[in-house]
Amino acid sequence: MGRERTAEEVSARKAKKERGKEVKRAAVEAAAPPPAKKRKTLGIDEALVVAQDAEDKIAAGVRLASQLNPQKKGFNKALRDGWPDMPPNLRKRISRRDRNSDKAKKSDLPKMAIASMPFPAEAKDHCETSARSFADIAPLLNLIAEKIGKAPAELKLWDPYFCRGAVKGHLAALGFSDVRNDCEDFYKVIKRGSVPEHDVVITNPPYSDPKDGGPPHASRLLTFLEDNRRPYLVLMPEYVASAAYYAPLFPKASREPLLLCPRKRYHFFSPPGSRDSKKKSHKHKELGVRSSPFVAFWYVSLRPQLRRKEILNLARSGTLGGISLAREGTQEEERGAEEKESTEDAVADAAVNKSSAGC
């Protein structure tokens, strides 16, 4: 038979069990989530204020989906927190305002059939330039504006090739609101001498062969730009730089445009209905069918405001908003290019002065 426990032993055993239970209870309580806070109910007056703020943001271009999404730049915390308790009629009003803003935005771009254009147009290259491509050159446009003493919104930009006019919205979003892109025949404008007042030409010409059998559009455009003597930024395929007509257009090396290569291939958008495609492709509800048929570069010349050397130095120093040099030339190459450009500039200045004096 076993020995009976003493009263002290029984008491100690009970105390040990109680301590074990206390430890378990503490562990369970520590692991349990904190009690949920009671959500504050949105009063009608507060709901009206939140709704009005949301509608103001929609009018400013911040979509409802962005305001309700914490991951988006336009996130509206007050709206997201109050949305579940907001009266149904207010939610419907905000949603309706959001839908109407989308319709208004789409109606800004005219629906024009290619056949109705006042110039020959090919469906395969009747495309709009993407917003991202314009964002890449915004630092250069800001630089030109600074050089000529204008605010970005005052810089007069001219895109002579018309597609549907989306370029105006893309550039306005970057702060450049003075953009001319009219539905007119660029070559007739040149012929009749009615080139509009502008500070910079920024465009994306057709890539197909002209229907009139004349020189390629890129060749015609570059010829005009050389005579125009104003800064230009032209988005064209990389093969243009190796075309037979390209080098003769720039007998002086200092006048040859710099090539700005995107880090990611650009897309283009064919307006809805402008081309028939049975293939499944990405479609933008406002801009149309997305495509990327060529690797495209920006052909950049900012003369007379900035010479090649100045642009390259700014890119090298990292002060051009993400634009950097793809390849550094040797010291001999750079020194030779700088000396040649300086000599050509001096000759050009002398020619201009002589011409002015003769007048």
Side-chain angles (χ1 to χ4, degrees):
M1 294 181 63
R3 182 179 67 84
E4 291 187 4
R5 295 186 179 90
T6 63
E8 291 79 4
E9 290 175 334
V10 172
S11 178
R13 186 178 179 84
K14 287 183 178 180
K16 184 177 180 181
K17 286 183 178 181
E18 288 299 325
R19 286 196 299 272
K21 291 179 181 179
E22 287 294 333
V23 171
K24 287 182 179 180
R25 277 197 295 269
V28 170
E29 291 175 359
K37 293 182 180 180
K38 188 176 180 180
R39 192 175 64 196
K40 180 183 176 182
T41 303
L42 198 66
I44 185 62
D45 292 338
E46 189 177 358
L48 287 170
V49 172
V50 172
Q52 185 61 53
D53 179 60
E55 290 177 331
D56 291 342
K57 285 182 168 60
I58 290 171
V62 183
R63 300 300 302 275
L64 177 59
S66 296
Q67 295 190 51
L68 294 173
N69 188 343
Q71 305 301 321
K72 296 293 184 179
K73 186 177 180 180
F75 175 56
N76 185 340
K77 188 176 186 302
L79 179 65
R80 202 278 302 270
D81 292 346
W83 188 259
D85 296 323
M86 189 173 287
N89 63 323
L90 281 182
R91 290 204 301 265
K92 289 180 180 179
R93 191 180 84 181
I94 296 171
S95 299
R96 185 166 54 250
R97 179 66 62 86
D98 185 63
R99 289 194 300 272
N100 290 340
S101 71
D102 186 39
K103 291 177 182 177
K105 186 176 180 181
K106 286 192 282 188
S107 66
D108 289 341
L109 298 178
K111 293 182 178 179
M112 300 183 67
I114 292 180
S116 67
M117 295 288 181
F119 50 83
E122 286 283 351
K124 62 183 178 182
D125 65 0
H126 192 64
C127 299
E128 291 283 0
T129 308
S130 65
R132 181 171 65 88
S133 60
F134 290 116
D136 284 349
I137 60 170
L140 297 174
L141 294 176
N142 282 316
L143 192 60
I144 298 172
E146 181 182 347
K147 281 287 183 179
I148 63 178
K150 288 187 174 183
E154 298 172 336
L155 191 66
K156 293 184 178 298
L157 306 178
W158 180 36
D159 182 352
Y161 291 102
F162 182 82
C163 178
R164 200 178 170 213
V167 58
K168 292 183 178 180
H170 293 329
L171 288 169
L174 297 169
F176 306 97
S177 54
D178 193 348
V179 181
R180 180 186 174 107
N181 180 226
D182 294 344
C183 186
E184 57 187 357
D185 190 324
F186 172 40
Y187 306 122
K188 288 183 179 178
V189 169
I190 298 174
K191 189 174 181 179
R192 64 174 178 258
S194 56
V195 172
E197 181 185 355
H198 62 282
D199 298 313
V200 185
V201 174
I202 174 171
T203 192
N204 170 24
Y207 300 159
S208 61
D209 294 329
K211 289 186 175 182
D212 60 9
H217 293 289
S219 176
R220 292 185 182 187
L221 173 62
L222 290 171
T223 300
F224 164 77
L225 294 173
E226 278 299 286
D227 294 336
N228 192 44
R229 300 285 173 166
R230 284 182 176 82
Y232 62 82
L233 300 98
V234 180
L235 187 61
M236 297 187 291
E238 46 84 23
Y239 63 73
V240 169
S242 58
Y245 58 78
Y246 187 79
L249 290 171
F250 309 102
K252 297 179 180 180
S254 64
R255 298 209 64 85
E256 188 172 338
L258 293 168
L259 301 183
L260 180 61
C261 176
R263 300 183 188 278
K264 186 178 179 181
R265 188 165 174 158
Y266 289 140
H267 291 112
F268 300 87
F269 292 89
S270 300
S274 64
R275 68 165 75 181
D276 296 326
S277 177
K278 296 181 180 180
K279 297 180 180 179
K280 290 185 178 180
S281 56
H282 178 89
K283 293 182 180 179
H284 190 284
K285 61 182 179 181
E286 297 167 20
L287 300 177
V289 179
R290 188 181 75 180
S291 63
S292 183
F294 304 105
V295 174
F297 296 160
W298 281 105
Y299 291 67
V300 179
S301 173
L302 305 187
R303 298 171 65 92
Q305 274 67 43
L306 288 109
R307 297 186 301 167
R308 288 166 55 99
K309 174 186 173 182
E310 294 176 276
I311 300 173
L312 292 174
N313 285 340
L314 288 170
R316 186 180 293 111
S317 65
T319 57
L320 272 183
I323 297 176
S324 58
L325 292 184
R327 182 185 74 87
E328 289 279 5
T330 64
Q331 291 184 353
E332 291 75 12
E333 288 176 335
E334 292 184 4
R335 190 181 305 112
E338 291 175 8
E339 290 175 355
K340 187 171 184 180
E341 185 171 8
S342 298
T343 302
E344 291 174 353
D345 284 343
V347 172
D349 291 341
V352 170
N353 291 335
K354 183 177 180 181
S355 175
S356 300
C359 294

